[in-house]
């Protein structure tokens, strides 16, 4: 695109583009002269060129105007000037999409199709672009003839046009299979390739026919044909899940010895991308790519390195053989090739080569574009997690890169890389924080600065020397814009709250901030100073360290509601639904580039899901007065997905009730369901108080029915299993029209049991400083017990299960077990239904008989402690 | 080329060019009529229903004709009007054996003559009462009566019975049209 623009500019300078500044209306006006008789071919040709130019510039031409111009163009058929005629064909093809009644030129084109040799190919292409389905019948015979034609241009034109027609309707092209089959063995490479394309398009849903098409061992003339064959074969292997022992694989492998480089590369690429291949299968492909690495052609080198780079993610061992060749490419004049070579080496290399490679990269880092720099950073990121011991070299390198020039995306990638390294590797923490501190000294991106300040506030106080970070942070307060200053103020407050010896100094600093010119900064400073001066641990941890834990959307709605109905009572924070903790943290991060791009969207969904449900429930009048929604579970399937009715259950927990929402889909097109309810057999203590039916449930339109269950009055009784039966009135109906019969009959359908677990009663809450919260809740309601989890064989498995049963948020990254350890402590935090804080500490130890766990629960309510302590049992 | 063109024109060697439209209901024989005038080597032997239109060129004794052979099928008839503006003469072909649809032909003719592009032009119209060889074909006189041609007074018109398969009657008609068009051209010159 850039080069195109530049070309245009150059043209302008040198005499100018004659079509530059063309006006659509002027051109259309001019198109009227096409109607003049006698025809002046040169003038008309010029006008048509202009018309084509503006269409191709993306100008939008109205249907009426286009039709007018189109009819004017049709009159040019009376001229036999070859250049003009070809322009007319082009014009027809372009206008066929925008003008009306384009079918009018059919007869003219059919005549040309049989006429002079030079017009035949273009006429066929134009004809196929104006034809509609009703006309196909009449041109079918001509197309057949054209495909079998001796002239390669005609045959190819017909084949390609048939392919385009086939995109609209599959049925149509089927008619030309025989003809295409006949010319697939044509002498002409182009015809052969196009015939093969058409055949593939027609047969793509017919596995057996495709198999025949590929396995027919014959010599092709065109290398493109081989490439297509290879792609088809690869797809077939994928579809069949056939491994390397299939006939098709042998075919692909044999293509590795073809004389055309294109075919060889295609084959290698196909083998590499197959899913279940062993290192042995890959070897020939990789060795071919290795040969390409030393090719004199830059395109081949680039293709080979790029493919090897991809292979390196999955099979680093297979690529190790190419290391020597890749090393040579590091010094390639083409920077793209060099970068890919290095990142590939980073993936395949061992710990000892890291230092050398990093030195190599830094030599030309300044010469490559940001895009490739990001690739390098991603490579380093994966190195960091692979070789934690090398963090020193890598960190220094990252810091170096941070200092260099670069765009926002690049800097962001580096900062994220450093942050993730800090989180994964405690040893790297100090160095990483130091680098980040240095970076924010001169950081032009507000977003990154605030992000780093937040991180400093969280991690800084827990380092051995927290005081050294304060200088960096306070510098921000003096030098930066309002948003960064505000973030810095919050960070300082966190230091003050966390480290008692620093509190005095922090208060002094914050007091200075109270004179700031920005409202937000002043407000924050005043607030923090006041909180800190109270010198009470619980207060500081609640208002400074833990932050806001309610859902922002929910808070907004609750406050709005509160202002609408003036009451004497104070606004109760507990009535606001809590923010659902995004589950992104539990995701495995193996491919840094991918997960980074997927994450943001997922977070958004997770955060707003509950708000969506709340809105949805408020729409049902019977459920509107239950209070605020405490928690909604994830949808749970209570039928198999392929059955007659597809039903998902969502459990909504309120303070005294649970609402079961059943989202039903009727997958039978000859039935209409009415009055659909779910009959629930309540567990002991629970009481079904209401059920709201779904009035009717037509085919394939989802509907919801709700069942309202009152929770037991006994506070410790919270779990239970409900047997569910779907009850409804069936009316048979016509599958086509959906018209139901008048009379129906009652029917029922047994669903899977729905379980209410402890996890449904708690909401995950992140406590950044678990120890402080633990002390704050205090030991009054502490319960402790020891369990032996004999079914678990690893700590990870045990942790996963505990989190699932209790449903609390793991804090301080305690859900990740450092490698090789046999004991671990898991911290979980959350809020129990009714707004009671709940904290769990689980000490786990692995021994020969399984995992032993000492579970300690603290809560602000004795019943809650009891419930949680029994959850695992 | 322009120079030779005008030179040839001036010398009268080159024939003057005129545009005519060939209209009529479907299956009345328009394409066959035009096919007859084409030189023998380009003649078409199997004639299929026209879709849209065809452009053909042929020569009479003193004029070069460019004929727009329009499709007569119902769905394409509304496209005729796109070409009215440029035409110098009209050849209207009637299937004289199809008495039943003669009224449809009359309707189309009336629409054509009332069209704003043609209404005020003195444009010659040649009628071919085609398929005269068919046994129950009506005569050209009867045909002109059925088409209400006696009321057509503001345009020169002529009807002749024809058989496009053998060429009978076609030349007579085109000769008349040539004379008429030449007259128009003469008048334009003055």
């Amino acid at each position: 695109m850039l080069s195109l623009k530049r070309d245009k500019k150059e043209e302008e300078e040198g005499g100018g583009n004659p079509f530059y500044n063309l006006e659509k209306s002027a051109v259309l006006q001019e198109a009227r002269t096409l109607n003049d008789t006698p025809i002046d071919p040169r003038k008309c040709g010029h006008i048509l060129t202009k018309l084509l130019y503006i269409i191709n510039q993306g100008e939008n031409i109205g249907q009426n105007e286009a039709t007018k111009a189109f009819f004017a163009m049709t009159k040019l058929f009376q001229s036999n000037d070859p250049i003009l005629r070809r322009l007319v064909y082009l014009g027809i093809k372009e206008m066929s999409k925008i003008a009306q009644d384009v079918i009018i030129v059919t007869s003219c084109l059919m005549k040309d199709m049989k006429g002079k040799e030079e017009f035949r190919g273009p006429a066929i292409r134009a004809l196929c672009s104006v034809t509609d389905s009703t006309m196909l019948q009449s041109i079918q015979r001509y197309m057949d003839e054209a495909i079998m034609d001796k002239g390669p241009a005609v045959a190819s034109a017909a084949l390609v046009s048939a392919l385009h027609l086939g995109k609209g309707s599959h049925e149509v092209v089927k008619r030309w299979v025989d003809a295409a089959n006949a010319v697939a063995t044509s002498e002409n490479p182009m015809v052969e390739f196009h015939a093969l394309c058409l055949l593939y398009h027609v047969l793509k849903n017919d596995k057996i026919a495709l198999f025949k098409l590929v396995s027919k061992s014959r010599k092709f003339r065109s290398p493109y044909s081989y490439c297509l064959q290879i792609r088809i074969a690869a797809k077939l292997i994928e579809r069949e899940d056939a491994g390397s022992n299939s006939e098709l694989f042998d075919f692909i492998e044999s293509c590795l010895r073809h004389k055309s480089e294109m075919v060889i590369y295609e084959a290698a690429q196909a083998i590499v991308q197959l899913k279940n291949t062993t290192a042995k299968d890959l070897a020939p492909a990789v060795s071919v790519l290795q040969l390409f690495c030393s090719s004199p052609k830059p395109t081949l080198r680039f293709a080979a390195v790029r493919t090897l780079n991809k292979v390196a993610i999955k099979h680093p061992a297979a690529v190790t053989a190419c290391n020597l060749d890749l090393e040579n490419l590091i010094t390639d004049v083409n920077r793209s090739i060099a970068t890919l070579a290095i990142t590939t080496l980073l993936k395949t290399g061992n710990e000892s080569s890291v230092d050398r490679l990093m030195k190599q990269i830094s030599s030309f880092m300044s010469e490559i574009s940001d895009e490739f720099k990001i690739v390098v950073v991603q490579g380093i990121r994966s190195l960091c997690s692979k070789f934690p011991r090398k963090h020193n070299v890598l960190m220094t390198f990252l810091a170096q890169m941070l200092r260099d020039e670069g765009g926002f995306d690049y800097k962001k990638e580096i900062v994220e890389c450093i942050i993730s390294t800090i989180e994964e590797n405690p040893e790297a923490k100090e160095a990483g924080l130091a680098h980040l501190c240095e970076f924010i000294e001169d950081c032009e991106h507000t977003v990154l600065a605030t992000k780093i300040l937040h991180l400093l506030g969280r991690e800084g106080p827990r380092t051995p020397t927290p005081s050294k970070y304060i200088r960096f942070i306070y510098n921000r307060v003096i030098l930066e814009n309002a948003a960064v200053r505000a973030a810095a103020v919050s960070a300082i407050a966190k230091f003050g709250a966390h480290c008692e010896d620093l509190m005095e100094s922090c208060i002094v600093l914050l007091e200075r901030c109270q004179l700031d010119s920005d409202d937000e900064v002043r407000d924050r400073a005043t607030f923090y100073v006041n909180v800190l001066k109270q010198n009470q641990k619980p207060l500081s941890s609640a208002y400074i360290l833990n932050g806001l834990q309610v859902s922002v959307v929910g808070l907004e709605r609750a406050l709005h509601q509160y202002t609408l109905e003036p009451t004497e009572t104070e606004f109760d924070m507990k009535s606001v639904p809590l923010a659902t903790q995004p589950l992104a943290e539990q995701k495995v991060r193996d491919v840094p580039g991918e997960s980074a791009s997927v994450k943001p969207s997922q977070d958004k969904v997770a955060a707003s899901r509950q708000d969506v449900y709340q809105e949805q429930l408020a729409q049902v009048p019977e459920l509107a007065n239950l209070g605020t929604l405490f928690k909604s579970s994830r949808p749970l399937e209570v039928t198999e997905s392929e059955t007659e009715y597809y039903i998902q259950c969502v459990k909504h927990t309120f303070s005294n009730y649970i609402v079961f929402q059943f989202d039903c889909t009727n997958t039978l097109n000859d039935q209409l369901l009415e009055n659909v309810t779910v009959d629930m057999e309540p567990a002991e203590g629970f009481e079904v108080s209401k059920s709201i039916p779904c009035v009717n449930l037509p085919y394939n339109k989802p509907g919801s029915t709700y069942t309202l269950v009152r929770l037991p009055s006994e506070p410790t009784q919270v779990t239970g299993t409900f047997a569910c039966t779907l009850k409804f009135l069936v009316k048979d109906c016509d599958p086509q029209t959906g018209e139901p019969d008048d009379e129906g009959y009652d029917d029922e359908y047994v669903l899977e049991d729905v379980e209410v677990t402890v996890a449904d009663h708690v909401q995950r809450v992140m406590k950044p400083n678990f120890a402080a919260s633990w002390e704050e809740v205090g030991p009054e309601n502490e319960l402790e017990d020891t369990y032996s989890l004999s079914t678990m064989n690893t700590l990870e498995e045990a942790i996963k299960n505990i989190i699932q049963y209790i449903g609390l948020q793991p804090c301080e990254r305690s859900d990740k077990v450092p490698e090789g350890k046999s004991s671990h402590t898991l911290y979980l935090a959350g809020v129990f239904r009714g707004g009671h804080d709940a904290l769990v500490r689980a000490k786990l130890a692995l021994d020969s008989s399984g995992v032993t766990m000492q579970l300690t629960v603290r809560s602000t309510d004795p019943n809650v402690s009891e419930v949680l302590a029994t959850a695992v049992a | 080329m322009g120079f030779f063109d005008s030179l040839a024109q001036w010398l009268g060697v080159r024939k003057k060019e005129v545009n005519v439209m060939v209209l009529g209901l479907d299956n009345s024989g328009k394409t066959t009529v035009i096919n007859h005038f084409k030189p023998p080597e380009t003649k078409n032997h199997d004639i299929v229903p026209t879709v849209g239109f065809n452009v053909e060129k042929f020569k009479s004794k003193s004029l070069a004709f460019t004929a727009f052979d329009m499709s007569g099928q119902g769905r394409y008839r509304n496209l005729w009007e796109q070409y009215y503006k440029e035409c110098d003469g009209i050849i209207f072909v009637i299937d004289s054996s199809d008495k039943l649809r003669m009224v449809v032909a009359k309707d189309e003719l009336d629409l054509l003559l009332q069209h704003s592009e043609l209404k005020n032009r003195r444009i010659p119209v040649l009628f071919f009462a085609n398929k005269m060889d068919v046994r129950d074909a009506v005569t050209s006189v009867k045909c002109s009566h059925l088409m209400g041609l006696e009321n057509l007074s503001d345009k020169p018109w002529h009807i002749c019975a024809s058989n496009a398969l053998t060429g009978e009657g076609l030349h007579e008609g085109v000769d008349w049209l040539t004379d008429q068009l030449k007259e128009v051209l003469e008048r334009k010159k003055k």
Side-chain angles (χ1 to χ4, degrees), chain A residues 5 27 67 86 90 196 213 217 266 289 396 450 462 538 571 586 597 611 641 651 678 728 778 820 858:
Chain A
K5 255 184 202 157
V27 175
T67 310
R86 302 197 77 148
L90 289 178
L196 206 59
L213 184 69
S217 56
E266 189 68 43
L289 291 173
T396 330
T450 47
R462 267 176 278 169
F571 180 72
Q586 294 176 341
S597 60
D611 297 316
S641 58
K651 292 169 277 187
V678 174
F728 47 84
R858 283 187 180 185

Side-chain angles (χ1 to χ4, degrees), chain B residues 124-141:
Chain B
V125 188
L126 168 66
F127 293 91
F128 279 123
N130 202 17
K131 306 197 186 176
M132 61 189 261
D133 53 312
V134 178
R135 206 156 52 85
D136 53 353
V138 295
T139 62
S140 59
V141 180

